[in-house]
């Protein structure tokens, strides 16, 4: 401990317990550096940073002090106890009470934290003091945000309204695929308008599963399919995938609105 710090600590008047029932009556008139020097358990680098931040007003957040709590808007709250409060120029009070406050009274204050060391400075009196920040609470698994789940009409866990919505979305996707197939031949293959292809076969073809396989040869009507001449170029497989992905996202959005 330096001689200057020791002199500062000796010169300060330390009181074990004080009443803070009349904020603003006895404001702190010293400097942030002098106040921080009286907290020897805080590492010196952190004391210096806190003193500089307090002098510049670089706070973490504003809070409201009430009779029984310190209320902020951050993710971590603060314990209600205020301690080591500075009064006048050199008076430090270890335990501070505010039991005579009216329940509705609120005093704004600035919070400065470095690591787990937090300083509170009430606006009304600049009485530099210490508080304790609450630990981060563990988020229960049940409260964690879950991604929306894609469902199928046959899912037994769906209620009737959601199941109907799923059927409607499935029908929209099937109609879109059918419309695409009826409008444009695929890579000049054996395709005829009006011919129905299974969506699974189409998706497999787009993704490159056995590209030489003719997935239009499974004629449900038992009629032979007449080869046709190669037609105009069609969209790349990535365009098909973008369309299918968009339809899937639209369906998920509509189901989520129903949830």
């Amino acid at each position: 401990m330096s001689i200057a710090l020791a002199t500062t600590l000796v010169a300060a008047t330390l009181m074990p317990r004080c009443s803070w029932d009349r904020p603003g009556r006895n404001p702190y008139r010293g400097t942030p550096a002098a106040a921080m020097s009286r907290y020897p358990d805080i590492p010196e680098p952190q004391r210096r940073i806190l003193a500089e931040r307090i002098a510049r007003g670089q706070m973490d957040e504003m809070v409201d002090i009430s009779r029984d709590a310190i209320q902020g808007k951050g993710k971590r709250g603060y314990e209600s106890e205020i301690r080591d409060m500075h009064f006048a120029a050199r008076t430090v009070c270890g335990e501070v009470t505010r039991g005579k406050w009216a329940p509705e009274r609120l005093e704004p204050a600035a919070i400065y934290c470095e690591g787990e060391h937090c300083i509170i400075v009430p606006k009304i009196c600049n009485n530099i003091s210490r508080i304790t920040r609450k630990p981060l609470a563990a988020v229960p698994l049940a409260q964690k945000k879950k991604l929306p789940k894609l469902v199928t009409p046959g899912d037994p866990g769906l209620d009737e309204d959601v199941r109907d919505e799923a059927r409607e979305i499935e029908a929209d996707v099937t109609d879109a695929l059918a419309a695409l197939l009826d409008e444009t031949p695929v890579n000049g293959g054996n395709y005829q308008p009006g011919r129905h292809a299974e969506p699974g076969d189409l998706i497999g073809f787009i993704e490159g599963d056995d590209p030489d396989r003719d997935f239009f040869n499974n004629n449900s009507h038992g009629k032979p399919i007449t080869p046709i001449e190669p037609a105009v170029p069609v969209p790349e497989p990535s365009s098909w995938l973008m369309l299918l992905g968009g339809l899937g996202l639209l369906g998920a959005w509509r189901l989520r609105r129903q949830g």
Side-chain angles (χ1 to χ4, degrees), residues 14 36 98 179:
L14 304 178
M36 295 307 303
R98 53 189 191 274

Side-chain angles (χ1 to χ4, degrees), residues 31-219:
T31 64
M36 295 307 303
S37 71
R38 300 186 180 104
Y39 301 147
D41 60 306
I42 300 178
E44 192 278 332
Q46 291 178 306
R47 291 202 309 267
R48 176 170 45 81
I49 293 173
L50 285 167
E52 292 175 355
R53 290 183 56 200
I54 294 171
R56 296 174 181 176
Q58 297 173 342
M59 70 189 76
D60 288 284
E61 65 170 322
M62 289 294 296
V63 298
D64 287 322
I65 304 173
S66 65
R67 183 182 66 186
D68 303 311
I70 299 174
Q71 302 168 335
K73 296 182 179 180
K75 294 181 179 180
R76 298 177 64 173
Y78 306 93
E79 302 292 347
S80 62
E81 177 190 28
I82 299 177
R83 65 189 188 280
D84 299 334
M85 178 176 278
H86 283 75
F87 294 94
R90 300 183 183 85
T91 302
V92 182
C93 185
E95 181 182 349
V96 180
T97 64
R98 53 189 191 274
K100 294 183 180 180
W101 285 25
E104 65 276 7
R105 179 170 186 168
L106 296 175
E107 289 291 343
I111 299 290
Y112 304 84
C113 292
E114 283 295 323
E116 294 305 310
H117 300 284
C118 292
I119 303 298
I120 187 168
V121 184
K123 185 177 180 180
I124 193 172
C125 55
N126 293 323
N127 292 79
I128 295 176
S129 313
R130 299 181 67 177
I131 57 173
T132 300
R133 185 162 53 180
K134 294 179 179 179
L136 281 171
V139 179
L141 184 61
Q143 295 181 8
K144 290 184 178 179
K145 186 176 181 180
K146 297 180 179 179
L147 294 174
K149 183 181 72 171
L150 296 178
V151 297
T152 59
D155 191 338
L158 301 179
D159 58 37
E160 193 59 36
D161 291 339
V162 177
R163 188 177 291 108
D164 290 343
E165 186 74 11
R167 292 193 187 99
E168 181 179 346
I169 293 171
E170 184 182 53
D172 291 342
V173 173
T174 302
D175 290 344
L177 288 172
L180 288 170
L181 291 173
D182 283 345
E183 291 176 3
T184 309
V186 179
N187 294 338
N190 294 332
Y191 164 76
Q192 288 182 341
R195 170 72 179 87
H196 175 71
E198 294 296 329
D201 291 338
L202 177 61
I203 294 173
F205 179 81
I206 292 174
E207 292 180 346
D209 296 341
D210 194 6
D212 296 329
R213 179 170 59 89
D214 179 10
F215 59 86
F216 289 106
N217 280 334
N218 297 325
N219 188 353

Side-chain angles (χ1 to χ4, degrees), residues 203 206-207 236-247:
I203 294 173
I206 292 174
E207 292 180 346
E236 295 292 331
S238 59
S239 301
W240 294 95
L241 292 175
M242 289 176 63
L243 174 63
L244 294 174
L247 292 172

